[in-house]
Amino acid sequence: MRIKLKTKIWLTVFTIVLLFSFFTLFYFPAQQEKYLLANYSNEVENLAKTVALGVRIANNDENYEGIKEAMRFVTDDHRLKFVSILEDTSYNGTGKQNPKKYAVFKTIPDSVEADTLKYPPGSIIVKSVPFTAKTISGAILLAFSTADINKSKMKIRITSLIVSGAVFFISILIGFWLSRHISIPVLALRDAAHRVGEGDLTQRVKSHSSDEIGELSKAFNKMVEDLGQATQELNKANFNLAHTNKTLYDTVDNLKATQQQLIQAEKMASLGELTAGIAHEINNPINFVSANIQPLKDDMADILKIVADYEKIIKEKKLEKEFEEVRQSNQEAVQKMTIQEIHDLLKGIEEGARRTSEIVRGLRNFSRMDQNVFKKANMNDSLESTLTLLHSTYKNRITVVKDYGNIPDIDCFPGQLNQVFMNILSNAIQAIPQEGRIFIKTWLQGNMVKISMKDTGTGITEDVQNKIFDPFFTTKEVGKGTGLGLSISYGIVEKHNGKIEVFSTPGKGAEFIISIPIQQPLRG
């Protein structure tokens, strides 16, 4: 049986309407709701992880006010139901695995009870993130309301229903108009509609008449054009939303990195003050010992000369019998402590005082406090001070080969550059598992002073080199590194308008080259 074109048109229209209604009423809303719920769940989990990280850092630093600040990170969010710190009462700090028993340690808001069973199913999203700190182990329990998500779902469904109803109504009208015409424009319009339904928004119907079919063709063309424009705007909005989210995440990461760097800088400043005070207190008695060694040696020489003169006069005057008792006492004293022993003791005291003076000088140079102005300093002296402080970590195991060039003093913050040298040399020492060598070289190149620190350790892979200066990145075991040393060093070198480069081949060691200008530009 042959189907009439009018029937075909109606079948086509209804088919398009049904397909469009299915996608508009069911598929697209379901996908959008799924996408919103997944994003919301990820957002709550990331917030819980951020709070857990803040609590762990504050607890490790014994900054209990910081724990409250970490929890307040989410208190201003209107979607918050509660955030709680759950303490693992089975945690004993030994690392032994025991069945976890959680108890509520702190809840914000204080008036809310952290009981998820009291909320209707689907009304909240709850995320639990465990953490382990120095004095406490537990989890962060974060609950956010799904009211906003439910409102968004309702809006999506209402919009889908309205759009589907509008499209259905328009399609009925189009069907009536199309059913009155059996012509090529109708077939062309039908074919174009099929292609638009398949997603081709470039389709246009040519109008050959000024009657209803012509008007319909114009309306169809305008509908496709508006749909294409709406699609472009939607894509643009999605792109802007993704860019905004990325910017937000980057900002949060930068804030966390800045916070950690400020904490690290404050620790280094406190350590510098303490070290400077210790060096000052030790320096005074050491100076006293050093200053009195030479006079003591001169006095001992005079005493020995007097004794020799006595011996000579006794022999010349032949008074051996009269001084026999004195001679015996002298021989007994010589037996107890010989002249050579006295010289050895003085030499040992002098060497100890010299070594202690070097350590004190190194402490004073390393711990000097930087103000907000550049000072003249010599990098050879800074490297020597750093090596003095690190001597106990590499002696009898690592040979340091120094090749200091004739370099001028440079404008810098000496204490900060000392921290850079300390970080790099400490990593180099740790990278040499047994015996090895560290090569240190300084030279002048144009208006830049260059410092090279090269080791014969395990080396660095290319993947690690690309991330070695990122905040919180570390290849060390948990608890043995914060991942901030080289990141802070990179920032200090940049602050000096310099450059830090790393060259390494796995198994053949690593080399860090630092370039610092001799003179810094004047600050406006």
Side-chain angles (χ1 to χ4, degrees), residues 308-353:
D309 291 342
Y310 271 112
E311 292 288 340
K312 181 179 179 182
I313 294 173
I314 289 172
K315 289 182 180 180
E316 290 178 352
K317 301 296 185 178
K318 297 181 180 180
L319 301 175
E320 287 84 353
K321 293 182 180 181
E322 289 78 356
F323 287 90
E324 182 64 25
E325 185 177 351
V326 175
R327 182 185 299 276
Q328 291 178 357
S329 298
N330 186 35
Q331 288 178 350
E332 292 176 359
V334 170
Q335 289 175 358
K336 294 180 180 178
M337 181 180 292
T338 63
I339 296 174
Q340 183 62 39
E341 288 176 334
I342 294 174
H343 284 299
D344 291 341
L345 290 173
L346 289 174
K347 185 176 179 180
I349 294 172
E350 184 177 17
E351 175 63 23

Side-chain angles (χ1 to χ4, degrees), residues 242-517:
H243 178 72
T244 301
N245 289 338
K246 183 180 183 302
T247 303
L248 180 61
Y249 288 134
D250 292 342
T251 301
V252 172
D253 291 340
N254 291 335
L255 285 175
K256 291 192 291 186
T258 302
Q259 181 187 28
Q260 290 299 323
Q261 291 178 357
L262 288 174
I263 294 173
Q264 188 75 2
E266 184 65 24
K267 289 182 179 179
M268 290 300 297
S270 300
L271 180 60
E273 292 178 358
L274 177 62
T275 307
I278 295 174
H280 177 74
E281 293 299 325
I282 296 176
N283 194 48
N284 290 332
I286 289 302
N287 286 340
F288 176 80
V289 174
S290 300
N292 285 281
I293 288 176
Q294 188 58 42
L296 180 60
K297 292 171 69 176
D298 295 341
D299 291 343
M300 288 302 302
D302 292 340
I303 292 174
L304 294 174
K305 184 175 181 302
I306 292 173
V307 172
D309 291 342
Y310 271 112
E311 292 288 340
K312 181 179 179 182
I313 294 173
I314 289 172
K315 289 182 180 180
E316 290 178 352
K317 301 296 185 178
K318 297 181 180 180
L319 301 175
E320 287 84 353
K321 293 182 180 181
E322 289 78 356
F323 287 90
E324 182 64 25
E325 185 177 351
V326 175
R327 182 185 299 276
Q328 291 178 357
S329 298
N330 186 35
Q331 288 178 350
E332 292 176 359
V334 170
Q335 289 175 358
K336 294 180 180 178
M337 181 180 292
T338 63
I339 296 174
Q340 183 62 39
E341 288 176 334
I342 294 174
H343 284 299
D344 291 341
L345 290 173
L346 289 174
K347 185 176 179 180
I349 294 172
E350 184 177 17
E351 175 63 23
R354 183 192 65 79
R355 177 61 181 160
T356 306
S357 297
E358 288 181 356
I359 296 174
V360 170
R361 185 163 52 253
L363 285 171
R364 295 179 67 182
N365 289 337
F366 184 83
S367 62
R368 52 183 157 182
M369 300 300 295
D370 293 327
Q371 299 176 352
N372 197 27
V373 292
F374 289 112
K375 298 179 181 180
K376 291 288 185 182
N378 190 278
M379 294 298 96
N380 293 344
D381 295 339
S382 297
L383 288 166
E384 279 297 313
S385 299
T386 305
L387 288 173
T388 299
L389 298 182
L390 292 173
H391 183 262
S392 62
T393 63
Y394 68 83
K395 65 179 180 180
N396 302 326
R397 185 171 68 88
I398 298 173
T399 302
V400 179
V401 181
K402 308 171 188 176
D403 184 9
Y404 294 152
N406 185 16
I407 58 175
D409 294 349
I410 65 173
D411 294 334
C412 64
F413 297 116
Q416 294 185 14
L417 288 182
N418 286 342
Q419 184 180 352
V420 174
F421 299 150
M422 175 70 75
N423 291 337
I424 294 176
L425 289 175
S426 296
N427 288 342
I429 293 171
Q430 295 173 8
I432 301 176
Q434 296 178 352
E435 294 183 353
R437 290 187 294 175
I438 295 177
F439 301 88
I440 302 177
K441 180 180 179 181
T442 61
W443 72 96
L444 180 64
Q445 182 173 322
N447 64 339
M448 306 287 285
V449 168
K450 289 184 171 287
I451 304 102
S452 169
M453 288 167 279
K454 182 179 181 182
D455 62 73
T456 59
T458 55
I460 308 172
T461 63
E462 186 175 354
D463 292 340
V464 174
Q465 291 182 44
N466 295 331
K467 299 181 289 186
I468 197 170
F469 297 114
D470 292 348
F472 305 107
F473 177 79
T474 179
T475 58
K476 299 177 183 177
E477 298 178 3
V478 176
K480 293 187 178 181
T482 63
L484 289 173
L486 290 179
S487 174
I488 293 175
S489 300
Y490 186 86
I492 291 174
V493 174
E494 276 197 335
K495 185 178 180 180
H496 285 77
N497 300 301
K499 181 173 65 173
I500 180 170
E501 302 171 278
V502 58
F503 305 94
S504 177
T505 300
K508 296 184 179 180
E511 180 181 15
F512 286 82
I513 298 179
I514 299 173
S515 303
I516 304 291

Side-chain angles (χ1 to χ4, degrees), residues 10-219:
W10 277 109
L11 289 175
T12 303
V13 170
F14 276 111
T15 301
I16 294 174
V17 170
L18 290 175
L19 289 174
F20 188 85
S21 297
F22 170 78
F23 282 96
T24 304
L25 290 174
F26 300 101
Y27 182 76
F28 288 136
Q31 292 299 318
Q32 191 68 18
E33 290 173 8
K34 182 179 179 182
Y35 176 78
L36 288 174
L37 188 60
N39 279 353
Y40 191 60
S41 179
N42 290 336
E43 181 183 1
V44 175
E45 184 173 3
N46 289 334
L47 289 174
K49 289 181 179 178
T50 301
V51 174
L53 177 62
V55 170
R56 181 174 65 82
I57 293 174
N59 185 270
N60 288 340
D61 293 340
E62 297 183 357
N63 180 10
Y64 300 105
E65 186 63 28
I67 296 176
K68 297 180 180 179
E69 290 297 326
M71 296 182 69
R72 294 192 190 106
F73 182 76
V74 295
T75 55
D76 293 335
D77 198 318
H78 71 279
R79 301 167 297 178
L80 176 70
K81 285 296 184 180
F82 64 85
V83 57
S84 297
I85 298 180
L86 304 181
E87 181 182 5
D88 183 6
T89 58
S90 64
Y91 178 72
N92 55 17
T94 62
K96 183 178 179 181
Q97 296 293 331
N98 294 319
K100 295 185 179 296
K101 298 180 180 178
Y102 288 110
V104 177
F105 180 77
K106 176 67 178 176
T107 300
I108 295 178
D110 297 331
S111 60
V112 177
E113 183 178 358
D115 187 359
T116 58
L117 298 178
K118 291 186 176 182
Y119 294 90
S123 64
I124 60 172
I125 289 182
V126 181
K127 292 295 180 180
S128 176
V129 177
F131 69 91
T132 301
K134 184 167 60 177
T135 61
I136 187 174
S137 176
I140 295 297
L141 188 65
L142 180 62
F144 265 47
S145 172
T146 59
D148 291 349
I149 291 294
N150 294 332
K151 291 179 181 179
S152 298
K153 289 180 179 179
M154 183 60 64
K155 289 180 181 179
I156 291 172
R157 292 169 184 172
I158 293 174
T159 302
S160 300
L161 183 60
I162 293 174
V163 171
S164 297
V167 172
F168 181 81
F169 180 75
I170 293 173
S171 299
I172 293 296
L173 295 178
I174 293 174
F176 278 110
W177 283 103
L178 292 177
S179 64
R180 297 178 184 178
H181 299 275
I182 304 174
S183 62
I184 295 177
V186 174
L187 297 176
L189 184 60
R190 184 192 63 180
D191 295 338
H194 277 293
R195 287 190 285 270
V196 169
E198 294 171 355
D200 185 3
L201 301 180
T202 62
Q203 290 295 316
R204 297 293 184 270
V205 176
K206 294 182 180 181
S207 177
H208 300 282
S209 62
S210 58
D211 57 7
E212 294 82 3
I213 295 178
E215 294 296 328
L216 183 59
S217 299
K218 293 179 181 179

